[in-house]
Amino acid sequence: MADVIIVPHLHAGGAAAATLIAAVLSPKPDMVLGVATGSTPLPIWSALAAMRLDMSRVSAFALDEYLDLPPGHPESYAAVVHREIAVPLGLNPRKVHTPDAQADLRDAPSAYESAIRAAGGIDVQVVGIGRNGHIGFNEPGSSLSGRTHIANLAAQTRRDNARFFESFDQVPTRCITQGVGTILDARRLILVASGRRKADAVAAALEGPVTASVPASALQLHPDVVAIVDEDAASRLSFADHYRMSAPHGDAA
Ligand code: PGA
């Protein structure tokens, strides 16, 4: 079972996740960090930035990237990761990786897998969760053992991400994403979720059956998952009292 930490609000969640990452970084300054875009992880990056750690030797890998955007588009995840994560954390841009949406798409997925392997694998991967239970852009129905691949975005995901574009129509329909199997290869996973609109997905992921209908439920198969969820996102969990008591990190719960 995942180690579930229920925090009062997203900010406390960011601090808790940043503390976990800093604990890995301290003995391993060249750690490999799996980063996630989206709104929920933002407090993690600001909490980490506030710690003023030397992260110049860290390698970072994003979970996914849109396809069919022009190179350098401000909402491409290459641009988002640079702006929202790499710059505030002081990462070396040469060590920051997103799947290459401009490359030959026959080669880009395996090239990304190779790059992760060459870096030694991911030490800590941060993941958000979609309202439909996706992780990365692994939408419902995705293989739970899949590797990095090209995929279509669910309509729900495109609607949720339309806030970053001028209109729904401008949200790409295709992406390249780490597969669930790739994500599960990370040595430690930190799942973050916030808000009532995520409550059903969080309950299904943490307490429901392991099923391709809820790709995040595959996290139950990983031996080292910390789920940091705020009270709203935890509101549909059946065992919330148990999780609250089991929070191991004094500063988090
Ligand atoms: P969000 O995205 O943090 O912006 O809600 C999470 C996700 O879709 O994986």
Side-chain angles (χ1 to χ4, degrees):
M1 184 202 287
D3 180 11
V4 182
I5 303 174
I6 300 172
V7 292
H9 49 76
L10 191 54
H11 247 71
T19 302
L20 293 175
I21 294 166
V24 176
L25 178 71
S26 169
K28 191 176 181 186
D30 59 349
M31 72 174 285
V32 181
L33 178 62
V35 297
T37 54
S39 306
T40 319
L42 289 175
I44 304 177
W45 316 132
S46 48
L48 261 181
M51 291 177 178
R52 298 187 165 280
L53 305 167
D54 178 4
M55 298 189 72
S56 60
R57 293 173 59 198
V58 169
S59 296
F61 286 87
L63 284 168
D64 44 23
E65 176 60 288
Y66 291 118
L67 293 182
D68 310 318
L69 289 175
H73 189 287
E75 292 307 325
S76 69
Y77 284 167
V80 171
V81 167
H82 179 74
R83 188 171 65 234
E84 297 182 350
I85 305 174
V87 171
L89 298 189
L91 302 181
N92 177 346
R94 285 194 303 277
K95 292 178 178 286
V96 178
H97 308 266
T98 46
D100 189 352
Q102 311 301 329
D104 184 329
L105 295 183
R106 287 168 299 190
D107 301 332
S110 59
Y112 202 58
E113 291 278 332
S114 301
I116 293 172
R117 256 197 317 277
I122 291 172
D123 291 303
V124 182
Q125 174 70 59
V126 174
V127 284
I129 182 170
R131 272 202 277 181
N132 61 4
H134 75 199
I135 44 171
F137 277 142
N138 294 278
E139 305 288 16
S142 299
S143 162
L144 299 188
S145 60
R147 311 304 307 182
T148 301
H149 61 285
I150 309 296
N152 292 323
L153 294 179
Q156 170 84 70
T157 300
R158 294 185 64 231
R159 281 194 296 274
D160 285 346
N161 289 6
R163 66 190 193 277
F164 299 114
F165 293 85
E166 276 171 27
S167 70
F168 172 77
D169 290 341
Q170 291 186 8
V171 184
T173 59
R174 300 193 304 159
C175 64
I176 175 167
T177 181
Q178 285 189 33
V180 176
T182 315
I183 294 169
L184 292 178
D185 279 350
R187 287 182 269 281
R188 168 170 263 202
L189 293 164
I190 301 176
L191 173 73
V192 287
S194 164
R196 204 159 286 268
R197 72 198 176 94
K198 298 289 178 71
D200 286 330
V202 166
L206 298 180
E207 296 179 341
V210 174
T211 167
S213 301
V214 182
S217 66
L219 300 185
Q220 294 176 35
L221 301 173
H222 193 284
D224 191 349
V225 179
V226 182
I228 302 174
V229 297
D230 70 12
E231 286 173 2
D232 284 342
S235 59
R236 297 268 163 79
L237 288 170
S238 301
F239 307 118
D241 288 349
H242 170 78
Y243 300 140
R244 205 184 291 271
M245 287 189 304
S246 71
H249 307 284
D251 54 341

